[in-house]
Amino acid sequence: MVSHTTHIRVRYGETDKMGYLYYGNYATYHEVGRVELIRSLGMTYKSMEDEHGILMPVMNMEMRFVRPAHYDELLSVTTEVREMPEKTIVFRTEIRNEKNKLVNGGRIKLCFISAETGKNVGVPDFLREKLTPYFEATQD
Amino acid sequence: MVSHTTHIRVRYGETDKMGYLYYGNYATYHEVGRVELIRSLGMTYKSMEDEHGILMPVMNMEMRFVRPAHYDELLSVTTEVREMPEKTIVFRTEIRNEKNKLVNGGRIKLCFISAETGKNVGVPDFLREKLTPYFEATQD
Amino acid sequence: MVSHTTHIRVRYGETDKMGYLYYGNYATYHEVGRVELIRSLGMTYKSMEDEHGILMPVMNMEMRFVRPAHYDELLSVTTEVREMPEKTIVFRTEIRNEKNKLVNGGRIKLCFISAETGKNVGVPDFLREKLTPYFEATQD
Amino acid sequence: MVSHTTHIRVRYGETDKMGYLYYGNYATYHEVGRVELIRSLGMTYKSMEDEHGILMPVMNMEMRFVRPAHYDELLSVTTEVREMPEKTIVFRTEIRNEKNKLVNGGRIKLCFISAETGKNVGVPDFLREKLTPYFEATQD
């Protein structure tokens, strides 16, 4: 398993008239979580697109909204990849507030598309190599 | 069942560097779909908040992204309520492009909160009355 | 002079905790105003980018915020081009609420860039042709 | 003068199909700059709203877009208050990229509104006290 935590402070423009972080903005926070998890592996999602020509569109997403997040709260965003990706990759994210209470949890599945051909190409080798050490069986 | 279709044109600022409608912006399109379905019943979500003191926070959401939507496309957003709401209400939304191809589909569950007490109050009477005609059994 | 009015309803996710349309979202409303003015000329901004390879980045913007816009208000967005564009084009936009009170006014200058070369190319001929009839001198 | 620099990384959802940080999103970056400048004074904008009942709506804004910012760039946002605020406060912000090249510069004027009365109340005492040391004349 790979896990990474980053922090995001709720911006004024991200709140809504209820005074909460607008529900549509959580997808962006999950995106930041994914991107920072990839950066923690020693590569960037940007280089995947720009240098390797791999796009990662989202296929589906599930989220539950447990309690509201408010303006100026510093949220912790913990993102995990629990299974070695093959055709697709699944990121699980939990967002907690400053009291460590769960705000939002979700699961987002993405695929790997060649920017050139538009075809689904599965997990690229350079990402597989970065991820393999985290998924090697611990044998007795 | 209640069903309503509205149209939304993809704004430039809603696209991302892939050239697609950013996946996080679909939640807003679903919101517009819900709000317009409620307006089609002869009331407004705004009046629910401002006059009746009922807030409707989102509890959970599931979405699948079937094909990309592009800048300036005029999308049709069809929203349905298939079951009479009680404690919660579920909106199912399908978004189609100008060729009537499915772009995105999802299911969002909301609850009804009293702005005054913060308590879950279930479907308010004035909404139940508006919805009842759509769910009356057709008996033989 | 060319002038065009379009309408935009304030979305929930566009409000902030003050209950107002967030000030950063006006730039998007001005964008929609520009795009619809161009559409009213019988062409689309999308075709300028996709078919003619012309991008129009914003060079500068000035806005004044006269009174707040609120959730679910149907705003009228009136956009004008008052001078025939040459190297740059200036759009002036006024946003009014349902009582026809001024909410926001602004002035945005854009240039014309070749997507291929990245160079500033001035107003393209096909746009000049569309605009010319609106700027012809009325002679005595 | 008060000056403060904070850093913001460009999110995927903040880019547009040109591949640039969408022009409408700069207003949010300026907001973050203001909020972090206020935090650097030992108070928070959140407490101004929640504890002191002071809202700070934007009155006007001017921005110039010097060069594009791209996805994943870590921008530095430097915000200054150059004059002691009285009825209004002016924040000047410069946004630079990782090569220290100017991306965007702007000037935003806000006023101070009582949440209770809706009236313009001028700079509140607690903020004036925090700012005074930065504006005291250095006499010979």
Side-chain angles (χ1 to χ4, degrees):
Chain A
M1 194 184 87
V2 194
S3 176
H4 182 75
T5 298
T6 191
H7 294 85
I8 305 178
R9 194 180 287 283
V10 178
R11 299 172 180 174
Y12 206 89
E14 292 172 343
T15 60
D16 59 23
K17 75 187 276 278
M18 240 188 274
Y20 299 169
L21 174 59
Y22 179 62
Y23 92 112
N25 290 326
Y26 283 93
T28 300
Y29 283 34
H30 285 238
E31 175 219 309
V32 173
R34 290 196 297 277
V35 163
E36 296 306 322
L37 178 145
I38 292 173
R39 198 185 318 278
S40 75
L41 297 174
M43 57 179 297
T44 62
Y45 178 66
K46 182 183 170 69
S47 70
M48 285 185 56
E49 283 206 355
D50 293 356
E51 293 163 31
H52 300 281
I54 302 291
L55 305 177
M56 289 177 64
V58 174
M59 298 179 67
N60 61 57
M61 119 173 124
E62 291 170 22
M63 269 186 207
R64 59 192 192 288
F65 301 86
V66 181
R67 48 174 66 76
H70 303 88
Y71 170 56
D72 210 46
E73 283 188 317
L74 188 62
L75 304 179
S76 69
V77 179
T78 299
T79 306
E80 293 179 358
V81 177
R82 294 191 192 161
E83 295 121 44
M84 187 67 194
E86 293 296 337
K87 299 236 165 172
T88 60
I89 185 168
V90 175
F91 292 89
R92 292 162 203 268
T93 299
E94 285 193 351
I95 301 180
R96 293 176 180 275
N97 63 21
E98 295 174 40
K99 292 174 180 163
N100 203 31
K101 295 284 190 187
L102 186 64
V103 164
N104 170 280
R107 186 181 168 288
I108 298 186
K109 186 194 280 190
L110 303 95
C111 58
F112 304 91
I113 299 282
S114 160
E116 206 180 334
T117 65
K119 295 271 166 71
N120 193 334
V121 293
V123 58
D125 289 343
F126 58 85
L127 180 58
R128 190 198 306 271
E129 279 169 33
K130 295 285 190 188
L131 287 170
T132 299
Y134 296 91
F135 293 95
E136 277 173 342
T138 49
Q139 297 177 309
D140 300 289
Chain B
M1 193 183 88
V2 194
S3 176
H4 183 74
T5 299
T6 191
H7 293 85
I8 306 178
R9 194 181 286 282
V10 179
R11 300 172 180 173
Y12 206 90
E14 292 172 343
T15 59
D16 59 23
K17 75 188 277 279
M18 241 188 270
Y20 300 168
L21 175 60
Y22 179 63
Y23 92 112
N25 290 326
Y26 283 93
T28 300
Y29 283 34
H30 285 238
E31 174 219 308
V32 173
R34 290 196 297 276
V35 163
E36 296 306 322
L37 178 143
I38 292 173
R39 198 185 318 277
S40 76
L41 297 173
M43 56 179 296
T44 62
Y45 178 65
K46 182 184 169 69
S47 71
M48 285 184 56
E49 283 206 353
D50 293 356
E51 294 163 31
H52 300 281
I54 302 291
L55 305 177
M56 288 177 63
V58 174
M59 298 178 68
N60 60 57
M61 128 171 118
E62 291 171 23
M63 270 186 205
R64 59 192 191 289
F65 301 87
V66 181
R67 49 175 65 76
H70 303 90
Y71 171 55
D72 210 45
E73 283 188 317
L74 188 62
L75 303 179
S76 70
V77 179
T78 299
T79 305
E80 293 178 358
V81 178
R82 294 192 192 160
E83 295 122 44
M84 187 67 196
E86 293 296 336
K87 298 236 166 173
T88 61
I89 186 168
V90 175
F91 292 89
R92 291 160 204 268
T93 299
E94 285 194 349
I95 301 179
R96 294 176 179 274
N97 63 22
E98 294 174 40
K99 292 174 181 163
N100 203 31
K101 294 285 190 186
L102 187 64
V103 163
N104 169 279
R107 186 182 167 288
I108 298 186
K109 186 194 281 190
L110 303 95
C111 59
F112 305 91
I113 299 282
S114 159
E116 206 180 335
T117 66
K119 295 271 166 70
N120 193 334
V121 294
V123 59
D125 289 342
F126 57 87
L127 180 58
R128 189 197 308 270
E129 279 169 34
K130 295 287 189 187
L131 288 169
T132 300
Y134 296 92
F135 293 96
E136 276 171 346
T138 50
Q139 297 178 309
D140 301 289
Chain C
M1 193 184 89
V2 196
S3 177
H4 183 75
T5 298
T6 191
H7 293 85
I8 306 179
R9 193 181 287 283
V10 178
R11 299 172 180 173
Y12 206 90
E14 292 172 343
T15 60
D16 60 24
K17 75 187 274 280
M18 239 187 274
Y20 299 168
L21 175 58
Y22 179 63
Y23 93 112
N25 290 326
Y26 284 92
T28 300
Y29 284 34
H30 285 237
E31 174 219 308
V32 173
R34 291 196 295 277
V35 163
E36 295 306 322
L37 179 144
I38 293 173
R39 198 185 319 277
S40 75
L41 297 173
M43 56 178 299
T44 62
Y45 177 66
K46 182 184 171 67
S47 70
M48 287 185 54
E49 285 206 353
D50 293 356
E51 293 163 31
H52 299 281
I54 302 291
L55 305 177
M56 290 178 64
V58 174
M59 298 178 67
N60 60 57
M61 129 172 117
E62 291 171 22
M63 268 186 207
R64 59 193 192 287
F65 301 87
V66 181
R67 49 174 65 76
H70 303 90
Y71 170 56
D72 210 45
E73 283 188 316
L74 188 62
L75 303 179
S76 69
V77 179
T78 300
T79 305
E80 295 178 359
V81 178
R82 294 190 192 162
E83 295 122 44
M84 186 67 195
E86 293 297 336
K87 298 236 165 172
T88 59
I89 187 168
V90 175
F91 292 88
R92 292 161 204 268
T93 300
E94 285 193 350
I95 300 179
R96 293 177 180 275
N97 63 22
E98 293 173 42
K99 292 173 180 163
N100 202 31
K101 296 283 190 188
L102 186 64
V103 164
N104 170 280
R107 188 182 166 287
I108 298 186
K109 186 195 283 190
L110 303 95
C111 59
F112 304 91
I113 298 282
S114 159
E116 206 180 335
T117 66
K119 294 272 165 70
N120 193 333
V121 294
V123 59
D125 289 342
F126 58 85
L127 180 58
R128 190 197 306 272
E129 279 169 34
K130 295 285 190 188
L131 288 169
T132 299
Y134 295 92
F135 292 96
E136 277 171 344
T138 51
Q139 296 178 311
D140 301 290
Chain D
M1 194 184 86
V2 195
S3 177
H4 183 74
T5 298
T6 191
H7 293 84
I8 306 179
R9 193 181 287 284
V10 178
R11 299 171 180 173
Y12 205 90
E14 292 172 343
T15 60
D16 60 24
K17 75 189 273 281
M18 242 187 273
Y20 299 168
L21 175 59
Y22 178 63
Y23 93 112
N25 290 327
Y26 283 93
T28 301
Y29 284 34
H30 285 238
E31 174 219 308
V32 173
R34 291 196 296 278
V35 163
E36 296 306 322
L37 179 143
I38 292 173
R39 198 186 318 277
S40 76
L41 297 174
M43 55 179 298
T44 63
Y45 178 66
K46 182 184 170 66
S47 71
M48 286 184 56
E49 284 206 352
D50 293 356
E51 294 164 32
H52 299 281
I54 302 290
L55 305 178
M56 290 178 64
V58 174
M59 298 178 69
N60 60 56
M61 119 172 124
E62 291 170 23
M63 271 187 204
R64 59 192 191 287
F65 302 86
V66 181
R67 49 175 65 75
H70 303 89
Y71 170 57
D72 210 45
E73 283 188 317
L74 188 62
L75 303 179
S76 69
V77 179
T78 300
T79 305
E80 294 179 358
V81 177
R82 293 191 193 161
E83 294 121 45
M84 187 66 195
E86 292 296 336
K87 298 236 164 173
T88 60
I89 186 168
V90 175
F91 292 88
R92 292 161 204 267
T93 300
E94 285 193 351
I95 300 179
R96 294 176 180 276
N97 63 22
E98 293 174 40
K99 291 172 180 164
N100 203 32
K101 296 284 191 188
L102 186 64
V103 164
N104 170 281
R107 187 181 167 288
I108 298 187
K109 186 194 282 190
L110 302 95
C111 59
F112 303 91
I113 298 283
S114 159
E116 205 179 336
T117 66
K119 294 270 165 70
N120 192 333
V121 294
V123 59
D125 289 341
F126 58 85
L127 180 58
R128 190 198 306 271
E129 279 169 33
K130 295 286 190 187
L131 287 170
T132 299
Y134 296 92
F135 293 96
E136 276 172 345
T138 51
Q139 296 178 309
D140 300 289

